[in-house]
Amino acid sequence: MPETVGLPAVVLQGILPLLNIYYLERIEQAAVKKGLSTQSIWCKLWNDVMKSKPSRFGTVTCWRKKFLEAFFHNVLRGILNVSSDERLNDQRFSPLVHSARHVSELTICNKQQGVSELTPAVLECLARSVESLKFLHLRSSDQATQRSLRLLLHRLIHHGQVKRVSLLSWPSPDINLLVLILSISAGFWQKQTSCPCTFCLKKTLNDNSQVLQEKRPEKGLLQSSSSADLSHMHSKHNVEEDMGSQSALLSLQPLNISHSVVTDCSDCSSAETLPRRVPGSTHCKKATCQKSSLPTNTVGSKAASTSRKNLISGSDIQGSIRTEPDDLYDFIFSVPSMGEGGVLNMNQGYKESAKEKPSEVSTVPLFDDLPPVEERSIISQFPDGAHRFRSVRALNLHNVPLTLSSCRFLCHLLRSWVSLERLTMAYNDLGANIFLIVEALSALSRCPGCSLSMFSMSDFTTYVPTLDLANTILTTFPSLQLLSLSYDLENHNEKETSEDIPAEFKENQLKQLEIRFPQDPLPVGSLISVLKASTLLLELSLDNATFSCTEDLKCVLHTLAEHNKALRRLSFHDMKMTDMHSEIVLLLNSSSLEEIKFSFCRLFERGTEEFLSAFVDALRKNPSVKILKLCGNRLGNDGLTALADLYNPDSLCSIHYLDVSSNCIKPEGLLHFAKKLERCGKIKLKHLSISQNLLDRDPVMAQEALQSLEGVCCVVSDNWDSAQAFADHVSVM
């Protein structure tokens, strides 16, 4: 609105509340130039229209963006009627087009409502703004919606800015929909002549203009392929003969699982090696051809055999005519040397199944044992014209159960997903399929340009000891910077032998290590080994770690003090640390920790007075600690009062965030703490959390204490009913 630029600020300030959201959004820059803020107006719109409060755990930095992003999603899903409010309704503007530019995280729910209604103009705006795609509570949809979703994904990922894809809370995944999302996220795209992509056409035209200036391949190189194949290629892609067609990859049209993936190398000698194009590289690796038995009694087995032979004949010439750097010709066609009954030894690879002869283990095809009929369409063929485009950098699969076949499909993608930097897998019900993931990551680590630096995996049950899994992953990825493993139970009953004990951890580049251990006592030697090998560690989180004796935990704390000098953030949760007083004081005196969390560790259960004095004295002399979380440690009134000495004028303490939740603190203790802080003058404490304490015992005194603290820092409290909580605790004992 250029005409508003010249208005005086006082006039503009009076106009702002009268505008609808479309003009209010357009006038934003003019208001900023006048020194005016529209944040309060957008906040009021949020309260009036959305009728919900933002989470108290998050800070809203821009109400304008927050409102318009939520507005877009509500209009898209049809749960907000813009005609019901004159502030939202204007015939001169499109609600979706106008708000799409503010959507940085696009969330698609249920049956993908509204996806089919996204116009090219809306997609154009989304392609410039969306960086994260989130799929929540997905359900099966019709073919028309899936086609629209396919184009949406292609536009936002392959020709857009999307870096992260998350699939959340999908207890019963639609296998075709899952394949669609994962395939496009990994960069695969099968062009369709019926609905061409304008961006792909532009790229093709640009590529063709460059190819015309390049030298054609030698004729003899093309004669190694069949004339029928070359005729087909020439008829469909005349120019691709000059430039080297991109590799046959994924088609999103579901076919029988037995018709693809398994490469028949029966025509090759067992010792023969063929050049294999490495994804993202112009170099070739040697891949040993292995004989693989063809699945029998399956529909279309003859066609599958022909397809596999064509793939092999193509591999003879791919090193010559397929010269694109993104060549992935054998992306899906490598056959892991294992059968479905194989078991992974974390040090030596796959053990032979008891039902298999040793000589047959390496020749079992990947899909020899077919999944149920409803899952056989998960893998697709790879016709000419399938290409690899831009792929996302982060993938999050949370509460998305993976069957054997869907897990194998994901593993095929992972094996060459070189752009993937962060992989998060949580509650996928992997079971023994975890070995497939480890094998795929091992293959990925050998790809030039591999970018994976953060890996997180959690589930209810693990089929391999947690530290053994950590050792294998770090051996595969010594440059990994973040490793997070979280399990509740272990499902392995074999007694550990000397042959199964993992080797010592080798030096790595870890900066963040997070492990939630199962209930079983952990081998302290392995834990100490990984700590000593992780000299660059900045963050360490240990949850539910159980030790055979107190000396084991003392050794861990001594190791941290001696070998992990770079550590900045330390978190211990649900661990018995009652008798670790001298070790904790040593750690505080010898480290440069900035954030310390001891939650539900029974820290002050015994020897409170002597330990409290030493604990507080160590923190008073430590200027590096900024955040201290002591929730659930039986601190009590005396402990909280002692912590007030951290802010005496002669203290070097720099703690600005203090969490003393769930510490049996009563109103009189909180009041005494508040009075001591008032006498300290201006202090560095900015945030105090006192939730789930016994403040309901005397509400009047508690209110007095809270009022005193309000002038000192920001206080987070609650209306916790301690009597009801105690009754609930007793009822479940």
Side-chain angles (χ1 to χ4, degrees):
M1 302 175 65
E3 64 275 9
T4 62
V5 177
L7 292 177
V10 64
V11 176
L12 191 58
Q13 187 173 17
I15 292 176
L16 292 177
L18 306 177
L19 300 177
N20 63 33
I21 62 171
Y22 308 102
Y23 286 110
L24 181 63
E25 195 270 344
R26 294 181 65 188
I27 208 174
E28 178 77 17
Q29 292 184 354
V32 170
K33 290 180 180 179
K34 297 290 184 180
L36 303 176
S37 173
T38 62
Q39 291 300 300
S40 60
I41 303 175
W42 290 109
C43 181
K44 185 177 185 305
L45 278 166
W46 176 276
N47 294 329
D48 294 346
V49 177
M50 303 305 171
K51 295 181 173 59
S52 64
K53 292 183 179 180
S55 171
R56 64 186 178 92
F57 299 104
T59 302
V60 179
T61 57
C62 180
W63 281 102
R64 172 194 180 204
K65 172 178 170 52
K66 183 175 181 64
F67 175 85
L68 289 173
E69 190 167 20
F71 175 75
F72 175 90
H73 286 99
N74 289 341
V75 173
L76 181 67
R77 298 168 195 159
I79 61 178
L80 180 62
N81 184 10
V82 296
S83 61
S84 62
D85 193 326
E86 62 181 6
R87 295 174 295 181
L88 313 177
N89 190 23
D90 194 319
Q91 298 297 326
R92 291 163 290 188
F93 298 94
S94 165
L96 291 179
V97 172
H98 200 79
S99 57
R101 70 193 76 176
H102 297 280
V103 180
S104 58
E105 181 176 85
L106 178 62
T107 302
I108 300 174
C109 301
N110 301 320
K111 292 189 175 183
Q112 307 98 62
Q113 290 92 335
V115 170
S116 301
E117 301 175 9
L118 293 176
T119 63
V122 178
L123 288 178
E124 180 65 24
C125 293
L126 291 175
R128 291 195 296 263
S129 64
V130 175
E131 295 185 353
S132 176
L133 270 175
K134 181 187 293 185
F135 297 91
L136 184 64
H137 307 302
L138 284 186
R139 297 169 61 190
S140 300
S141 57
D142 54 44
Q143 291 296 321
T145 301
Q146 288 200 23
R147 283 194 294 269
S148 299
L149 178 62
R150 183 175 183 270
L151 292 175
L152 169 71
L153 293 170
H154 175 60
R155 181 66 183 91
L156 299 189
I157 295 177
H158 297 167
H159 300 297
Q161 307 297 323
V162 173
K163 301 175 183 178
R164 299 175 297 276
V165 170
S166 299
L167 291 133
L168 311 174
S169 300
W170 199 4
S172 301
D174 179 313
I175 205 69
N176 291 324
L177 192 55
L178 178 63
V179 167
L180 171 68
I181 297 171
L182 291 179
S183 303
I184 297 183
S185 298
F188 301 131
W189 176 249
Q190 173 62 35
K191 296 180 180 179
Q192 292 182 340
T193 56
S194 59
C195 187
C197 171
T198 55
F199 286 85
C200 291
L201 291 176
K202 290 179 181 179
K203 183 178 184 303
T204 301
L205 291 175
N206 293 335
D207 291 345
N208 290 349
S209 62
Q210 296 176 5
V211 167
L212 291 176
Q213 302 175 10
E214 297 178 359
K215 185 179 179 180
R216 292 175 176 267
E218 293 296 332
K219 205 174 209 181
L221 296 176
L222 297 177
Q223 292 176 350
S224 57
S225 61
S226 65
S227 59
D229 291 340
L230 289 177
S231 176
H232 177 70
M233 292 172 58
H234 184 78
S235 63
K236 289 187 64 178
H237 308 286
N238 191 28
V239 181
E240 288 186 356
E241 184 178 343
D242 298 320
M243 61 183 292
S245 64
Q246 291 192 8
S247 306
L249 298 173
L250 280 177
S251 167
L252 299 178
Q253 305 300 324
L255 296 175
N256 191 299
I257 197 171
S258 64
H259 293 180
S260 59
V261 178
V262 182
T263 306
D264 188 359
C265 295
S266 58
D267 294 336
C268 305
S269 63
S270 59
E272 183 182 359
T273 58
L274 296 177
R276 182 159 68 97
R277 181 70 62 186
V278 178
S281 172
T282 56
H283 302 288
C284 290
K285 286 188 176 182
K286 295 290 182 178
T288 303
C289 291
Q290 298 176 344
K291 293 185 179 181
S292 58
S293 58
L294 181 66
T296 58
N297 298 325
T298 57
V299 179
S301 60
K302 183 176 180 180
S305 176
T306 304
S307 175
R308 289 192 292 271
K309 289 181 179 179
N310 288 342
L311 293 173
I312 292 179
S313 65
S315 66
D316 293 331
I317 63 171
Q318 59 96 18
S320 301
I321 68 170
R322 302 181 186 274
T323 59
E324 295 271 328
D326 292 332
D327 238 345
L328 295 174
Y329 184 75
D330 61 339
F331 162 70
I332 278 289
F333 309 110
S334 59
V335 183
S337 58
M338 67 161 289
E340 184 172 340
V343 179
L344 178 64
N345 180 311
M346 304 310 289
N347 296 318
Q348 300 176 355
Y350 290 97
K351 293 181 179 179
E352 297 170 0
S353 173
K355 298 181 180 180
E356 296 170 344
K357 298 179 181 179
S359 60
E360 295 176 349
V361 174
S362 62
T363 60
V364 177
L366 186 61
F367 290 91
D368 207 19
D369 296 324
L370 289 177
V373 175
E374 61 272 13
E375 297 180 3
R376 293 185 184 179
S377 62
I378 175 175
I379 304 294
S380 308
Q381 282 190 339
F382 313 94
D384 288 337
H387 301 276
R388 185 165 209 180
F389 285 77
R390 176 185 178 274
S391 54
V392 301
R393 299 179 182 177
L395 177 65
N396 179 12
L397 301 175
H398 193 285
N399 193 20
V400 182
L402 298 176
T403 62
L404 174 61
S405 52
S406 58
C407 184
R408 282 173 168 169
F409 179 81
L410 173 63
C411 288
H412 284 306
L413 298 178
L414 291 178
R415 292 173 68 88
S416 65
W417 200 332
V418 292
S419 70
L420 192 64
E421 298 175 0
R422 187 181 191 114
L423 175 61
T424 303
M425 301 184 67
Y427 303 101
N428 306 118
D429 196 21
L430 289 177
N433 291 337
I434 187 175
F435 304 126
L436 297 178
I437 301 294
V438 172
E439 190 276 334
L441 293 179
S442 178
L444 175 62
S445 68
R446 296 190 293 271
C447 291
C450 173
S451 306
L452 190 68
S453 61
M454 302 177 182
F455 178 59
S456 175
M457 176 177 285
S458 57
D459 215 325
F460 294 109
T461 305
T462 175
Y463 280 67
V464 62
T466 309
L467 288 173
D468 290 18
L469 179 60
N471 191 12
T472 300
I473 294 174
L474 290 176
T475 301
T476 302
F477 281 99
S479 61
L480 204 66
Q481 296 187 21
L482 182 152
L483 176 61
S484 177
L485 302 173
S486 176
Y487 295 97
D488 297 318
L489 300 170
E490 285 184 355
N491 190 23
H492 58 92
N493 298 320
E494 297 181 3
K495 292 185 178 180
E496 191 176 50
T497 65
S498 58
E499 295 179 356
D500 296 324
I501 296 177
E504 288 291 313
F505 281 80
K506 298 179 180 179
E507 186 174 351
N508 56 66
Q509 305 297 315
L510 267 187
K511 295 183 179 179
Q512 185 172 348
L513 176 63
E514 302 174 356
I515 303 181
R516 171 176 171 78
F517 294 96
Q519 297 292 339
D520 300 340
L522 61 90
V524 68
S526 297
L527 179 57
I528 290 176
S529 177
V530 69
L531 294 177
K532 289 182 178 180
S534 308
T535 56
L536 302 180
L537 202 62
L538 298 176
E539 300 183 38
L540 174 65
S541 175
L542 301 181
D543 187 351
N544 196 41
T546 305
F547 297 90
S548 301
C549 61
T550 57
E551 294 301 320
D552 287 349
L553 180 53
K554 289 181 179 180
C555 289
V556 172
L557 294 174
H558 277 288
T559 301
L560 291 175
E562 296 175 10
H563 296 276
N564 300 102
K565 299 292 186 180
L567 201 62
R568 294 295 178 265
R569 284 170 287 279
L570 176 65
S571 174
F572 285 170
H573 175 74
D574 197 13
M575 295 167 55
K576 185 179 179 181
M577 303 184 67
T578 306
D579 301 317
M580 303 293 122
H581 296 166
S582 59
E583 287 74 21
I584 291 175
V585 172
L586 172 65
L587 185 61
L588 292 175
N589 288 329
S590 60
S591 67
S592 300
L593 289 169
E594 298 176 358
E595 179 177 340
I596 301 175
K597 178 182 178 181
F598 295 128
S599 61
F600 298 93
C601 293
R602 300 158 64 178
L603 205 59
F604 305 101
E605 186 177 273
R606 291 200 300 263
T608 304
E609 185 175 350
E610 182 180 354
F611 173 54
L612 263 177
S613 177
F615 183 77
V616 171
D617 188 57
L619 288 174
R620 281 164 51 89
K621 299 176 182 178
N622 190 327
S624 64
V625 180
K626 306 294 192 301
I627 299 174
L628 179 62
K629 300 179 181 180
L630 298 173
C631 49
N633 281 286
R634 306 183 184 183
L635 190 63
N637 290 346
D638 294 338
L640 180 63
T641 303
L643 290 180
D645 293 336
L646 294 173
Y647 302 100
N648 286 340
D650 61 341
S651 173
L652 298 178
C653 177
S654 301
I655 296 175
H656 63 79
Y657 185 106
L658 180 62
D659 185 353
V660 291
S661 303
S662 304
N663 269 294
C664 303
I665 299 170
K666 298 178 182 178
E668 56 269 25
L670 184 63
L671 182 59
H672 193 191
F673 175 75
K675 296 301 182 182
K676 288 190 69 173
L677 289 184
E678 285 181 345
R679 292 194 294 269
C680 293
K682 187 177 181 180
I683 62 176
K684 296 181 180 179
L685 183 62
K686 303 298 181 184
H687 185 105
L688 175 66
S689 178
I690 55 172
S691 303
Q692 296 186 359
N693 279 298
L694 307 178
L695 303 183
D696 59 334
R697 301 291 178 85
D698 190 340
V700 176
M701 185 178 293
Q703 186 61 31
E704 181 183 355
L706 291 174
Q707 289 177 353
S708 298
L709 288 170
E710 284 179 358
V712 177
C713 60
C714 175
V715 182
V716 176
S717 183
D718 56 6
N719 297 319
W720 192 59
D721 189 340
S722 59
Q724 182 61 45
F726 180 76
D728 294 341
H729 175 71
V730 172
S731 66
V732 298
M733 290 182 64

